[in-house]
Amino acid sequence: MKYALITGANRGIGYYLAREMALDGYGIVMVGRNKERLEHAKQKLKTYTPHIHTLVYDLGDPTAPESIYNDVKKLNLEIDIIANNAGFGSYGLFHTNDIKNELDMMQVNMTSLVHLTHLFSQDMVRRKRGKILNVASVAGFQSGPHMNVYFASKSFVVHFSEALAYELKPYGIKVTALCPGSTDTDFFSRAEVNRKSDLFRHKATPESVAIKGYKALKKGKSIAIPGLNNKFMIQIQRFVPRKAVTAILGIGMSKQPNKG
Ligand SMILES: NC(=O)c1ccc[n+]([C@@H]2O[C@H](COP(=O)([O-])OP(=O)(O)OC[C@H]3O[C@@H](n4cnc5c(N)ncnc54)[C@H](OP(=O)(O)O)[C@@H]3O)[C@@H](O)[C@H]2O)c1
């Protein structure tokens, strides 16, 4: 049986990605930090497949990707899809933010994603088959004052995935960067961003984002941007000077009643 490994699968977009893949006949490997939350999600997913494994790891730990890969090998599972979904953001001026949290974010959003992709893509190349879904964001298309490192990390994911899609195409491997806009999940409470801000007013459901992302992966699209609004905003800003885009976002993002 073929398996899909999804990081951050216990809630939000990751849970629905796991559900879509289970509905499509995949066994599921769910990775997350919190054992109870993973177990709860596993119980819900059992409606769709009995083949579910949970791996408890903190992707902020640089040794986690290697351990995850070794666990999968011990379980003797063939991972046909890897969905690097786990990620988080932080709100605030860079110089006032907790640097440990910023570095942790870079580890989870970028380094662990690259490391897991490297480990699992070796097997995919050997098999000449596989799919890689990296969850980026519309934030990956411009710089983001007040969420500086988060935006930069997602920009990394967009560019890394786009180039990887090109490199791995001859090996029959599909790579997609899923770039959601504002989505109704716990993301905002962890990032301490107030969702009532104008910039975050239009919220998609995590379910619709996951469905669109998985469809795009199956079609082999290197970039998937769910929502016409989001597509339009990304296209239009190509015709606006970069400095102006940064300034507009800087003003919009500063209206955050949650923080001073
Ligand atoms: N929500 C949005 O508006 C939005 C927009 C664009 C992109 N995204 C991206 O979508 C992805 C999923 O986020 P979401 O919106 O679904 O948020 P969410 O509901 O907060 O889910 C985040 C998931 O990532 C996991 N995670 C976070 N830090 C982790 C770590 N150190 N180790 C292992 N797992 C970790 C969480 O697991 P725990 O439960 O163990 O913390 C959780 O399952 C993220 O990459 C995010 O940047 C979100």
Side-chain angles (χ1 to χ4, degrees):
M1 146 155 250
K2 286 191 283 186
Y3 276 80
L5 183 145
I6 303 107
T7 65
N10 59 46
R11 57 195 163 122
I13 297 167
Y15 171 77
Y16 287 103
L17 282 173
R19 192 195 69 175
E20 285 310 296
M21 291 165 190
L23 278 169
D24 211 15
Y26 280 91
I28 301 294
V29 182
M30 313 170 80
V31 180
R33 290 180 304 178
N34 187 294
K35 194 167 188 258
E36 286 72 42
R37 276 204 290 263
L38 272 179
E39 275 309 313
H40 180 69
K42 180 179 174 176
Q43 292 312 317
K44 286 202 290 175
L45 266 189
K46 273 188 176 164
T47 320
Y48 309 101
T49 176
H51 307 285
I52 308 172
H53 297 269
T54 55
L55 300 178
V56 181
Y57 282 103
D58 184 340
L59 291 166
D61 175 354
T63 66
E66 196 101 43
S67 305
I68 291 167
Y69 184 75
N70 290 338
D71 284 1
V72 165
K73 288 281 143 191
K74 274 184 216 143
L75 289 164
N76 204 20
L77 305 177
E78 180 186 320
I79 301 296
D80 190 57
I81 303 181
I82 170 160
N84 287 300
N85 160 77
F88 70 97
S90 75
Y91 178 76
L93 291 171
F94 173 68
H95 73 278
T96 64
N97 283 352
D98 174 7
I99 188 62
K100 271 185 70 184
N101 194 47
E102 302 291 295
L103 296 174
D104 191 39
M105 191 203 313
M106 291 168 72
Q107 181 71 39
V108 176
N109 293 8
M110 297 187 287
T111 311
S112 286
L113 176 149
V114 168
H115 198 166
L116 281 170
T117 302
H118 193 259
L119 289 163
F120 285 100
S121 63
Q122 312 285 325
D123 295 332
M124 292 178 181
V125 165
R126 263 192 297 277
R127 288 195 294 264
K128 291 208 178 321
R129 189 183 66 236
K131 299 183 191 68
I132 300 168
L133 181 69
N134 291 331
V135 181
S137 168
V138 291
F141 294 90
Q142 68 280 303
S143 52
H146 304 280
M147 283 187 86
N148 189 343
V149 175
Y150 177 72
F151 274 59
S153 74
K154 292 302 182 182
S155 180
F156 174 88
V157 176
V158 170
H159 289 98
F160 168 70
S161 308
E162 218 174 0
L164 194 68
Y166 180 86
E167 287 181 18
L168 292 182
K169 197 173 177 197
Y171 300 94
I173 299 165
K174 293 171 177 164
V175 182
T176 299
L178 171 59
C179 305
S182 180
T183 308
D184 197 8
T185 68
D186 294 336
F187 173 85
F188 296 93
S189 50
R190 181 159 184 203
E192 294 184 48
V193 175
N194 191 314
R195 283 192 287 189
K196 288 191 179 74
S197 164
D198 284 353
L199 280 174
F200 302 117
R201 212 174 32 196
H202 303 285
K203 293 189 300 286
T205 64
E207 185 177 13
S208 70
V209 168
I211 290 171
K212 283 173 188 153
Y214 186 47
K215 261 191 195 148
L217 179 68
K218 289 204 287 187
K219 280 188 185 159
K221 290 190 174 173
S222 58
I223 302 276
I225 304 167
L228 275 178
N229 257 356
N230 296 322
K231 281 193 190 89
F232 177 74
M233 289 305 286
I234 286 168
Q235 288 306 323
I236 202 86
Q237 72 188 23
R238 292 167 64 195
F239 303 101
V240 180
R242 290 178 72 91
K243 217 171 159 180
V245 173
T246 305
I248 291 164
L249 213 68
I251 293 162
M253 296 281 286
S254 68
K255 291 178 189 159
Q256 299 293 336
N258 268 3
K259 285 220 166 174

